Amino acid sequence: LGERVLDEARSHGVDVSQVQMTERGRLGLYFYESGATPRPSRVTYDRADSSFSRLQTGSIAWEKALAGSKYFHVSGITPALGETCAIETERSLTTARALGLKTSYDLNYRANLWSLERARETQLGFMKHVNHLSSGADLLEKLFEFAPSDHGRQLAELAMKKFNLDSV
């Protein structure tokens, strides 16, 4: 399945030369089930024992992986997969910024992956390495404990100022 994913990425011009294949674990998946009134849509995450959740600290040479890039994006789901994934998320963002890349980060909080408190504690530390932040207003309020606002634009401006971001 992992080889199939790499083939699909290659077919769209994505450079996968830095992808490391392993015999440990498996490809993490999620399943989307469309809802029909009155039942809402559902997402089921199947990431336990995925190869990525077993990532070892220092196993990715970020300088090499990011060489020649202009931008780097990472999702808030990545550090939620475990302590090592959180460490590597910080290393990737730190390295990207040191190399002069523009960074973007999607808060993408999922309560079934980690607690709000742990997500807040971990992701606050990332903000100093982020240029562009993706988030909805409700998540900015919850994760960064901003006062509730009817205006997402005000929350975005507050986050930009607080974390010295280029955009939200």
Side-chain angles (χ1 to χ4, degrees), residues 76-134:
I77 290 175
T78 303
L81 297 178
E83 186 60 33
T84 303
C85 291
I87 291 167
E88 286 302 302
T89 299
E90 174 119 29
R91 287 185 68 234
S92 68
L93 286 164
T94 302
T95 303
R97 287 297 294 269
L99 294 173
L101 279 65
K102 290 289 186 180
T103 60
S104 68
Y105 188 83
D106 183 351
L107 286 175
N108 209 355
Y109 172 72
R110 298 292 182 261
N112 57 348
L113 294 176
W114 57 349
S115 72
L116 186 62
E117 294 75 24
R118 183 73 181 122
R120 179 181 302 119
E121 174 187 318
T122 301
Q123 295 182 109
L124 277 171
F126 298 162
M127 293 302 105
K128 64 183 171 263
H129 307 297
V130 174
N131 296 104
H132 307 283
L133 179 65
S134 297

Side-chain angles (χ1 to χ4, degrees), residues 141-155:
E141 289 173 3
K142 278 197 285 191
L143 273 179
F144 298 138
E145 300 179 296
F146 292 152
S149 169
D150 293 332
H151 306 288
R153 184 176 210 55
Q154 289 175 343
L155 289 171

Side-chain angles (χ1 to χ4, degrees), residues 20 22 24-25 49-62 78 81-89 91-92:
Q20 299 174 32
T22 180
R24 295 181 352 194
D49 293 323
S50 68
S51 296
F52 197 80
S53 71
R54 294 173 171 216
L55 185 66
Q56 297 295 309
T57 302
S59 63
I60 299 174
W62 288 109
T78 303
L81 297 178
E83 186 60 33
T84 303
C85 291
I87 291 167
E88 286 302 302
T89 299
R91 287 185 68 234
S92 68

Side-chain angles (χ1 to χ4, degrees), residues 41-75:
S41 298
R42 291 191 302 207
V43 175
T44 302
Y45 294 97
D46 184 18
R47 294 188 172 109
D49 293 323
S50 68
S51 296
F52 197 80
S53 71
R54 294 173 171 216
L55 185 66
Q56 297 295 309
T57 302
S59 63
I60 299 174
W62 288 109
E63 296 83 4
K64 183 177 179 184
L66 298 172
S69 299
K70 294 179 184 176
Y71 306 98
F72 178 68
H73 175 76
V74 66
S75 165

